[in-house]
Each structure stands twice: as C-alpha cells, then as structure tokens.
Amino acid sequence: DAGVTQSPTHLIKTRGQQVTLRCSPKSGHDTVSWYQQALGQGPQFIFQYYEEEERQRGNFPDRFSGHQFPNYSSELNVNALLLGDSALYLCASSPGGRGETGANVLTFGAGSRLTVL
Amino acid sequence: AQSVTQPDIHITVSEGASLELRCNYSYGATPYLFWYVQSPGQGLQLLLKYFSGDTLVQGIKGFEAEFKRSQSSFNLRKPSVHWSDAAEYFCAVGARTGTASKLTFGTGTRLQVTL
C-alpha cells in the first residue's frame, strides 16, 4: 500500500516564478494538509483540503494557494516566489471522515524541496 | 493560540543509554499531542500520540511519552537508545476541533548517538 507520494522531490526556481507541487494521499485518506518546513525549523501549517475545499488555513499569504481534486489528490501553488519560500514542502493525508481521532492521525510524504535563487 | 516549546536543540547520548526529550505546550484545554521523527531527507514518521485516557502512551520503536497536564508537558522517553535512533524529533500539538486539526510543531531536537 503506497503511502503519501509527492512530486517533484527537488526543484529549483528563481525569484518571481511560480511553482506547483503535487501530492497523492494514502489510499483511503480524503483529507490533505500542506506544511512548509524551513531549514532548521519545525513544519508550519499552510492549509488543509477536504471535499475539494480549503477547510483551514495557516498564516501564509495569498501567494500560496491550493486545490484538491475529486480523487483526493492535491496541488500546492506558490506565485511570485521569494527567496524565503525556499523550504521543504510536506504533504500529509488523513482519513478525515473516520471520526475525530482517526482524522488526526496524519501520514506525511517525503516532501518536495524547493530552492529559490 | 497553541504553541510548542522544545528546549533542547541538540542532544547527544551514548548507545544503550536512556533518553528523555522535553516538550512543553501552550493550549487552552487538553490538546492532541504527538511526537514525530524525521531522518535526513525524509518526511515525518509518527512515533506516538495522545488523545485521551492513560497519560502514559506507548509508541513504535520502543518509545513512550507521558502527558502531564499540571506541567503542560509531553516528554518523550526511551530506556535504551540505538544508533539508528539518531534523527530529528518533533513534538506537535493539535486543537480539538472535531475534524482534522492543524498541527503546531516545535522547532525540533536533534539527537546524536555515539557508539
């Protein structure tokens, strides 16, 4: 059973460009959350998608947007990249419809490492 | 707003020695509490979680953690560390919202194991 898969694993962009990161949740999971992990820091919550809608959002600017597809996969888009957006972007999925405790057992992917030059 | 403090940035222990990683949280009620481990270049793996009930929780790889409400702490322990335990450890707190909550992570503790 595949876990959470993310693509690409590494990418390099320049300031001002746009990037799209992709995530396929674990089989049976319908909720996807995105986190940003800067070097030497803990992950920070960006937003969460459930039933193709953004359900919660962290303290990130509107340059960060997302989407969830009917098959529960998700994309994270970042526009007008800044040097400070360089980080590991982690996707996590959970079985959102399986009760409160089940919904809070997150499975993380290996991440997409973004470098902005 | 919820927050997590991991006071120790870096800890070094000898293989076979015991380990305790500290975690303090700030939250208005009893939160969900988690410990995750991250190896270099990898994502996060859940070690254990506390939702309710017994305040001493057992996890994978021989780890355990104890929730102490009076101290707002959720320290991670292991009686005998193995060299393969060297990694970054993150404590996280989640709000009880009735749905999948956002997690707030600490800044992590890097564990080094000497042979």
Side-chain angles (χ1 to χ4, degrees), chain A residues 27-76:
Chain A
S27 178
H29 288 188
D30 57 8
T31 301
V32 173
S33 302
W34 287 92
Y35 289 79
Q36 180 196 65
Q37 185 179 18
L39 197 61
Q41 300 296 315
Q44 285 194 292
F45 176 77
I46 303 175
F47 43 53
Q48 181 187 94
Y49 278 84
Y50 174 69
E51 293 188 339
E52 302 181 49
E53 292 191 357
E54 183 182 290
R55 184 160 64 180
Q56 297 185 72
R57 189 179 182 92
N59 189 26
F60 279 80
D62 292 343
R63 298 187 297 109
F64 289 77
S65 64
H67 189 77
Q68 186 179 35
F69 299 93
N71 66 352
Y72 308 121
S73 66
S74 177
E75 289 183 349
L76 164 65

Side-chain angles (χ1 to χ4, degrees), chain B residues 51-106:
Chain B
F51 286 160
S52 64
D54 193 348
T55 57
L56 183 63
V57 294
Q58 303 297 319
I60 62 172
K61 304 184 180 185
F63 286 93
E64 67 177 25
E66 185 171 12
F67 168 57
K68 293 185 176 181
R69 185 192 309 272
S70 61
Q71 299 177 20
S72 296
S73 69
F74 189 57
N75 294 348
L76 181 71
R77 300 194 293 252
K78 187 170 185 178
S80 178
V81 170
H82 189 263
W83 65 267
S84 61
D85 293 324
E88 187 94 22
Y89 291 80
F90 292 95
C91 180
V93 60
R96 293 177 179 266
T97 62
T99 59
S101 64
K102 67 176 185 178
L103 297 186
T104 299
F105 287 84

Side-chain angles (χ1 to χ4, degrees), chain A residues 90-114:
Chain A
L90 296 166
C91 173
S93 69
S94 59
R98 298 188 184 177
E100 185 177 6
T101 54
N104 283 281
V105 180
L106 300 184
T107 300
F108 281 84
S112 294
R113 183 164 297 282
L114 170 65

Side-chain angles (χ1 to χ4, degrees), chain B residues 12-20 78-86 111-115:
Chain B
T12 300
V13 300
S14 301
E15 188 174 40
S18 63
L19 171 70
E20 181 168 27
K78 187 170 185 178
S80 178
V81 170
H82 189 263
W83 65 267
S84 61
D85 293 324
L111 173 65
Q112 182 176 358
V113 180
T114 58
L115 300 176

